[in-house]
Amino acid sequence: DIQMTQSPSSLSASVGDRVTITCRASQSISSYLNWYQQKPGKAPKLLIYAASSFQSGVPSRFSGSGSGTDFTLTISSLQPEDFATYYCQQSYSSPNTFGQGTKLEIK
Amino acid sequence: QVQLVQSGAEVKKPGASVKVSCKASGYTFTSYGISWVRQAPGQGLEWMGWISANNANTNYAQRLQGRVTMTTDTSTSTAYMELRSLRSDDTAVYYCARRWVTSADDAFDIWGQGTLVTVSS
């Protein structure tokens, strides 16, 4: 199975900050990498697919980059509604494993 | 609008089975697959497997092989996930999600609201 490792596991930041979350795969997954946002008590929401493509309706302050084994999700200017947990997920091979999550909290 | 609506919460005893439903609307059901993902309390997301709504082909997580069965009913645009021989560590919120395949990737673009399954004696 491909292991997905996110860092950091948690992060405190302020409104307006620029934030970067990293996801590393245990082997190359090309660009088969998706990012999801999950708020407490809610289902996850797709933000970015194919490493860097925006899902419809996602604000442009979110961006994704990377290929191979190293990927990043960047939020350019944090808004209050962005405080949530973020997960990466590989769709390169079965099982489609998720990272352990990064909880973004208000400083 | 495009949505997946899941069945309600369940409480089961160890050793029992549970069957969760996921009704799709707003799109052509057979044009997409349905994946199932679960989340234990306070934990991360675990991929369980997926089923093609077109031909009913399935792909299950190895650790659940033999205990899980995913099916679809195209006449009602509903997907089902049955988990047998329940244990306490199967307590989780179970999500269905639409598997959206693009030229570059596949992702889960529409999610159900989740179904809490509690396994307790």
Side-chain angles (χ1 to χ4, degrees):
Chain A
D1 296 1
I2 297 175
Q3 306 302 316
M4 306 300 294
T5 304
Q6 290 181 231
S7 61
S9 295
S10 63
L11 175 60
S12 294
S14 301
V15 172
D17 284 354
R18 178 183 179 90
V19 167
T20 297
I21 299 169
T22 297
C23 178
R24 175 164 289 175
S26 60
Q27 66 184 74
S28 177
I29 57 170
S30 184
S31 296
Y32 288 81
L33 191 284
N34 308 308
W35 289 98
Y36 300 86
Q37 176 193 66
Q38 186 180 33
K39 296 182 178 179
K42 300 295 187 181
K45 172 186 174 183
L46 177 65
L47 296 177
I48 302 284
Y49 65 95
S52 60
S53 297
F54 295 100
Q55 174 63 343
S56 175
V58 172
S60 58
R61 63 182 179 271
F62 290 92
S63 63
S65 65
S67 67
T69 60
D70 295 317
F71 301 87
T72 60
L73 173 70
T74 299
I75 310 172
S76 61
S77 179
L78 274 174
Q79 298 302 300
E81 61 267 29
D82 299 337
F83 292 94
T85 300
Y86 293 85
Y87 294 92
C88 63
Q89 179 227 2
Q90 63 84 15
S91 56
Y92 182 80
S93 68
S94 178
N96 295 157
T97 41
F98 289 87
Q100 81 278 16
T102 295
K103 186 173 184 179
L104 181 51
E105 298 174 305
I106 301 173
K107 184 182 287 184
Chain B
Q1 75 279 25
V2 176
Q3 63 178 352
L4 299 172
V5 178
Q6 299 182 222
S7 49
E10 303 263 13
V11 179
K12 297 292 183 180
K13 293 191 183 303
S17 299
V18 68
K19 191 170 187 177
V20 178
S21 68
C22 170
K23 184 171 176 59
S25 61
Y27 72 95
T28 301
F29 183 64
T30 51
S31 294
Y32 297 83
I34 294 289
S35 295
W36 290 87
V37 175
R38 69 180 180 177
Q39 186 171 37
Q43 301 302 307
L45 302 170
E46 178 187 6
W47 181 85
M48 300 178 67
W50 79 281
I51 180 168
S52 166
N54 179 45
N55 58 21
N57 284 348
T58 55
N59 183 6
Y60 302 140
Q62 185 70 28
R63 68 190 300 262
L64 295 174
Q65 285 275 3
R67 290 206 299 137
V68 68
T69 302
M70 297 175 187
T71 57
T72 58
D73 181 346
T74 57
S75 69
T76 60
S77 299
T78 303
Y80 298 91
M81 186 285 299
E82 181 180 33
L83 189 61
R84 299 176 293 279
S85 302
L86 288 168
R87 310 185 292 243
S88 58
D89 63 354
D90 291 318
T91 294
V93 175
Y94 289 75
Y95 293 103
C96 62
R98 189 175 77 167
R99 184 171 180 254
W100 175 50
V101 179
T102 73
S103 59
D105 189 15
D106 64 84
F108 307 154
D109 67 333
I110 304 294
W111 292 67
Q113 81 277 18
T115 297
L116 175 62
V117 175
T118 302
V119 182
S120 173
S121 55

